[in-house]
Amino acid sequence: MAYTIDRHPCEDSPRLGAMTLHPEPESVPRARRWFRKFIAPYNPACSVDDCTLMISELVTNAIRYGKSDDPWVVRVEWHREGTSLRVDVHNPGFPANVRLRHPDANDAHGRGLLLVDSIADSWHSGPSYLGGTVVSFVVADAWPA
């Protein structure tokens, strides 16, 4: 398992950190722990609990819906954009398959993006620069101006 952290962000590199995870259920709590550990030095003003919940949902979806004939990984990156925090979750898969669902009360699954939609200031999905899909969320005012 590998992770990288940019400890000294600058305008040319707004990425604060990244992690690469195997597509297995154990990667979900690992993503929460690593994000919590590596975002702490940046003292975000936003709710880290909310961010870890959204990361959990997106990593779960990436593992569940990622598809490749070759071995693959899930990549999580977090960026500072002005006063906002953006988190990207990449996986091999088709961007057109990402959609906000409205599950019935008895459905066991299908609420991940609904949670992200209700907590984040914005979210989007599309083609990943790594190939496959990226789903991102933004938390505005994560740091004072």
Side-chain angles (χ1 to χ4, degrees):
M1 195 61 48
Y3 63 87
T4 58
I5 300 298
D6 291 335
R7 298 209 182 267
H8 303 287
C10 63
E11 274 191 56
D12 294 339
S13 178
R15 192 181 81 202
L16 301 178
M19 63 183 104
T20 303
L21 304 159
H22 293 289
E24 57 195 25
E26 296 80 19
S27 290
V28 177
R30 185 173 291 128
R32 287 192 303 262
R33 282 192 312 272
W34 284 355
F35 176 78
R36 212 176 263 291
K37 177 179 180 177
F38 294 120
I39 198 68
Y42 298 104
N43 297 315
C46 61
S47 169
V48 173
D49 289 340
D50 285 351
C51 292
T52 57
L53 173 61
M54 292 187 285
I55 289 169
S56 291
E57 295 299 333
L58 295 184
V59 169
T60 298
N61 286 351
I63 291 168
R64 185 176 182 129
Y65 300 112
K67 301 256 188 278
S68 177
D69 292 334
D70 299 318
W72 57 278
V73 294
V74 173
R75 182 161 174 86
V76 181
E77 300 175 339
W78 49 100
H79 308 262
R80 183 172 181 168
E81 296 178 333
T83 61
S84 297
L85 170 67
R86 187 186 86 233
V87 176
D88 302 333
V89 179
H90 303 264
N91 71 300
F94 301 103
N97 293 340
V98 177
R99 61 185 167 84
L100 186 63
R101 294 179 18 180
H102 297 283
D104 293 330
N106 295 332
D107 289 343
H109 302 286
R111 291 174 182 79
L113 280 178
L114 204 53
L115 280 169
V116 172
D117 187 60
S118 68
I119 297 170
D121 290 294
S122 65
W123 71 274
H124 81 277
S125 65
S128 168
Y129 73 90
L130 299 169
T133 301
V134 62
V135 180
S136 304
F137 67 82
V138 174
V139 177
D141 301 322
W143 287 276

